[in-house]
Amino acid sequence: MYAAFLLGHLSQDPDVLSFLRDEVSGDSNWRVQEVLAKAFDDFCAVRGYEEALPVIDEWLGDPRPGVRRPYFREHPGSAIARLSRLRSDTSEYVRKSVGNALRDISKKHPELVAAELETWDRSSREVSQVYRLASKVIERG
């Protein structure tokens, strides 16, 4: 994923970051979306996660699903809290991504994800869908 690494470093330029958010996020190819997610993760790593939190929160609040779909591994508690805010998102694409991301985090931090999932009201179809995806590894463990 050299392209994602390069884009992550280039994204330190506000114009490149805006281009990624405004143009690349609209591409329907899932491979492009994965590169965008990895580039954003590299942006956060280079910038420093604490300093990048305002940008992360801005992207999570964006009306476009391709922008709301975050990808980051550092600071799992923060990642879980931010991802969980999107559990009832109007976009099925975003909800699946959130469930899959939480599932991936649960491979290394099952107790953190399990604690978050226990707080969810699963009465809606949307939240239930994310819960099923997010809890797969925990239920097997």
Side-chain angles (χ1 to χ4, degrees):
M1 277 293 173
Y2 178 73
F5 174 77
L6 180 60
L7 280 173
H9 280 64
L10 289 174
S11 67
Q12 301 307 309
D13 177 326
D15 291 336
V16 173
L17 187 61
S18 293
F19 174 77
L20 291 171
R21 183 192 64 223
D22 298 339
E23 302 299 327
V24 176
S25 68
D27 194 298
S28 61
N29 186 313
W30 71 268
R31 288 178 182 91
V32 171
Q33 293 304 312
E34 287 300 311
V35 169
L36 172 62
K38 291 180 187 318
F40 190 73
D41 191 48
D42 284 339
F43 158 79
C44 294
V46 169
R47 169 83 44 107
Y49 284 90
E50 292 300 316
E51 190 176 325
L53 285 176
V55 178
I56 292 169
D57 289 336
E58 176 188 329
W59 281 45
L60 287 174
D62 194 279
R64 294 163 293 194
V67 177
R68 290 193 308 273
R69 182 184 171 269
Y71 180 94
F72 47 94
R73 292 186 192 139
E74 299 298 319
H75 306 92
S78 176
I80 292 165
R82 284 176 164 74
L83 289 166
S84 294
R85 291 183 207 155
L86 300 174
R87 66 184 172 261
S88 58
D89 195 273
T90 57
S91 168
E92 183 175 9
Y93 174 67
V94 171
R95 291 192 312 272
K96 284 183 177 180
S97 183
V98 167
N100 289 335
L102 290 172
R103 182 194 63 226
D104 290 346
I105 293 170
S106 75
K107 292 174 185 175
K108 290 186 179 178
H109 306 283
E111 69 290 345
L112 294 176
V113 174
E116 173 63 31
L117 294 178
E118 287 176 19
T119 68
W120 289 10
D121 174 3
R122 297 179 299 184
S123 59
S124 77
R125 181 186 61 80
E126 293 82 4
V127 174
S128 183
Q129 172 198 32
V130 176
Y131 181 91
R132 280 191 308 275
L133 291 169
S135 64
K136 282 185 179 180
V137 171
I138 296 169
E139 290 173 355
R140 287 187 211 141

